[in-house]
Amino acid sequence: MSLVTISRDLSREVTSLRFAPPVAHLYNPLEYARAPHEAYLKAWGKAPKRTLFLGMNPGPFGMAQTGVPFGDVRMVRDWMRVEAPVGKPENEHPKRPILGFACKRSEVSGTRLWSWAKERFETPEGFFENNFVANYCPLVFVEASGRNLTPDKLPADERAPLFAACDQALRRIVETLSPRFIVGVGAFAMERAKAALPTFGGTIGTILHPSPASPKANRGWAKLAEAELAELGIPL
C-alpha cells in the first residue's frame, strides 16, 4: 500500500472528528498542504526503511506550513527539494496564519532534527535511503488564544477515536515500510507506537524531543540524540 493512500485515508477519518473547547481551530495539513506532503511521501518514502522516526503532531511553523513532519521551510525547500502550493485551513486563527513556503518563522525542532540529518548524512538521499520521518497525529489543535494544544492533552473521549485512527495509519505505515526500528521523537510518540504495535518484531525506543522548551535539548540535542540512537543499536 502506498503512503499516499494511507495519508488520504487517515485525513478522511480525522476530518470527521469533532473537538470541544479549548480547541477552537483545527488544522489538517494533509488537506490544505496536500501537494507538498504527498511530494515528500513520493520523493522520500520508498520502501523499505530500516528506521522510522515518529513525531507527535505538526508544529505551527513546521508541518502546519509545509506539510512535511518537522518541516522547517528552509530545510524542506532547500535540502529536501520539496516545494508546492499550500492552501488555507477552513477556520484559520489570525495569530496562527498559514503562509506555506512564504513563512518566515523557523521551526526550531525541525531545524534541529533536519540539520542533524544533513550534517550526519549530507544529502537527503543519504538519510532517506534507510530512514523516514512521519507524525503520529496529523492535526494541529489551536486554542482561542492561539496557543498550541498537543493531542495528549485532549480529554479521553476525544483522544479515543483520534488515537484509533492514528494507530491504524501507523500500523499501515509500518506494514508498508517494514522498519526494524521505530524511534519516537519524544516519549509520547514511543508510547503510542508501543500501544499501536504490540506484536512488532523490531525495536521501539525514543530519543529526546528537539523542542526549545526542553532545557536538555538546548544543551546540544544532536549529540544527545546520537547517543540514544546508539543505545538502541541503530547504526548511523
Side-chain angles (χ1 to χ4, degrees):
M1 180 173 295
S2 76
L3 294 181
V4 169
T5 298
I6 297 168
S7 172
R8 291 188 181 186
D9 289 348
L10 174 60
S11 182
R12 280 193 294 270
E13 288 197 46
V14 298
T15 296
S16 67
L17 300 177
R18 296 294 177 262
F19 301 90
V23 177
H25 302 258
L26 192 68
Y27 292 11
N28 181 3
L30 300 188
E31 289 296 329
Y32 66 81
R34 173 176 285 187
H37 174 69
E38 294 188 356
Y40 166 74
L41 299 180
K42 292 173 183 177
W44 305 118
K46 295 179 178 63
K49 303 294 186 187
R50 181 177 58 212
T51 304
L52 173 64
F53 290 90
L54 188 67
M56 176 187 282
N57 74 311
F61 307 109
M63 186 174 176
Q65 303 292 339
T66 65
V68 175
F70 294 91
D72 177 77
V73 169
R74 286 176 297 177
M75 297 305 298
V76 173
R77 181 189 59 217
D78 301 338
W79 189 62
M80 291 181 223
R81 305 186 298 275
V82 169
E83 185 175 9
V86 174
K88 292 279 190 178
E90 290 185 3
N91 184 21
E92 187 178 54
H93 194 293
K95 292 183 179 179
R96 288 288 179 262
I98 296 303
L99 305 174
F101 286 82
C103 179
K104 303 299 183 185
R105 290 283 298 270
S106 174
E107 174 83 355
V108 176
S109 296
T111 300
R112 285 176 174 170
L113 187 145
W114 292 116
S115 292
W116 163 75
K118 181 180 179 182
E119 182 176 345
R120 165 58 68 174
F121 297 91
E122 297 185 355
T123 65
E125 289 82 1
F127 175 77
F128 288 109
E129 179 181 2
N130 292 305
N131 306 286
F132 192 67
V133 180
N135 269 330
Y136 171 73
C137 172
L139 299 178
V140 183
F141 306 92
V142 184
E143 297 182 3
S145 65
R147 178 177 177 267
N148 186 57
L149 183 76
T150 53
D152 57 314
K153 301 297 193 298
L154 294 168
D157 62 331
E158 293 180 354
R159 287 198 309 267
L162 174 66
F163 287 7
C166 296
D167 285 354
Q168 176 63 15
L170 178 58
R171 286 190 287 267
R172 295 170 78 189
I173 290 170
V174 168
E175 182 180 351
T176 299
L177 297 182
S178 302
R180 299 203 310 269
F181 301 93
I182 299 174
V183 179
V185 184
F188 170 86
M190 177 188 70
E191 294 302 329
R192 290 315 312 161
K194 287 181 175 179
L197 301 157
T199 61
F200 181 66
T203 299
I204 299 177
T206 186
I207 58 173
L208 178 69
H209 195 285
S211 169
S214 166
K216 191 175 180 181
N218 292 333
R219 295 194 295 269
W221 175 82
K223 185 176 180 180
L224 291 168
E226 287 207 345
E228 291 170 321
L229 292 171
E231 288 179 8
L232 292 172
I234 298 175
L236 295 175

